[in-house]
Amino acid sequence: MMRFITLFFLTLFFALPAQAHEVHAGGGFISGFNHPVLGFDHMLAMICVGILSTKLGGKAIWTVPAVFVLFMLCGGIIGLLSLPIPLVEFGIAVSVLLLGLALAIDKRLPQWLVMAFVATFAIFHGHAHGVEMPQLAEPALYVLGFICGTSAIHVVGVLLGIAMQNKDPRNRFVRSSGGVIAIVGGYLLLSV
């Protein structure tokens, strides 16, 4: 299992950071699903949310990702209404950086603080989804797709977090993975 996890994070690290914020030709479920799944920055942030929720434990395993999805929808609605949010790409890059740092630091953060950060970051991620929707033929299916894609990535993050904690109770792999993700977030921040 640790080999799989190592291979997964090495693949993420060496993959080219894709900016997923471009208008998709199709506008259905698959297009919406692909946005977070194929968007490198979205995927890293959501993996971190899942892993971070397992570090908090208890109800946080599902409430932290649920807060992300709820506020992502709010950001999507803001984008759909063409209401501007300044520095969306910057906010997404910062989310990758800070969520990676939260894993790397390995301190037990208060759940309310994690939820506040996750909610804020989710608004930026949702806005990136929402600004695309008016140009799409099937916005309801697109929304359902990006919710399912986001939720699937959170589940993968939770499963990775549980597997890493079971194999490495001292969280060395979580911390080093968080450090790598934070470095990628710094790179994304510099390229905004």
Side-chain angles (χ1 to χ4, degrees), residues 72-172:
M72 181 188 66
L73 280 172
C74 293
I77 291 168
I78 293 168
L80 179 62
L81 296 173
S82 298
L83 299 172
I85 292 181
L87 305 171
V88 170
E89 292 295 330
F90 179 81
I92 290 171
V94 167
S95 76
V96 175
L97 173 67
L98 293 181
L99 288 167
L101 284 175
L103 294 177
I105 292 170
D106 195 37
K107 297 289 181 203
R108 182 147 174 98
L109 299 170
Q111 186 171 339
W112 67 267
L113 180 62
V114 171
M115 291 180 119
F117 278 124
V118 164
T120 302
F121 298 149
I123 291 172
F124 289 111
H125 287 269
H127 191 272
H129 295 297
V131 294
E132 294 178 354
M133 283 191 271
Q135 300 166 355
L136 301 171
E138 302 172 66
L141 289 175
Y142 182 86
V143 170
L144 182 61
F146 82 69
I147 289 171
C148 289
T150 298
S151 299
I153 297 169
H154 285 147
V155 169
V156 168
V158 166
L159 294 175
L160 283 170
I162 290 170
M164 287 188 281
Q165 286 179 357
N166 288 340
K167 290 289 186 181
D168 182 19
R170 295 176 64 189
N171 288 326
R172 289 179 298 224

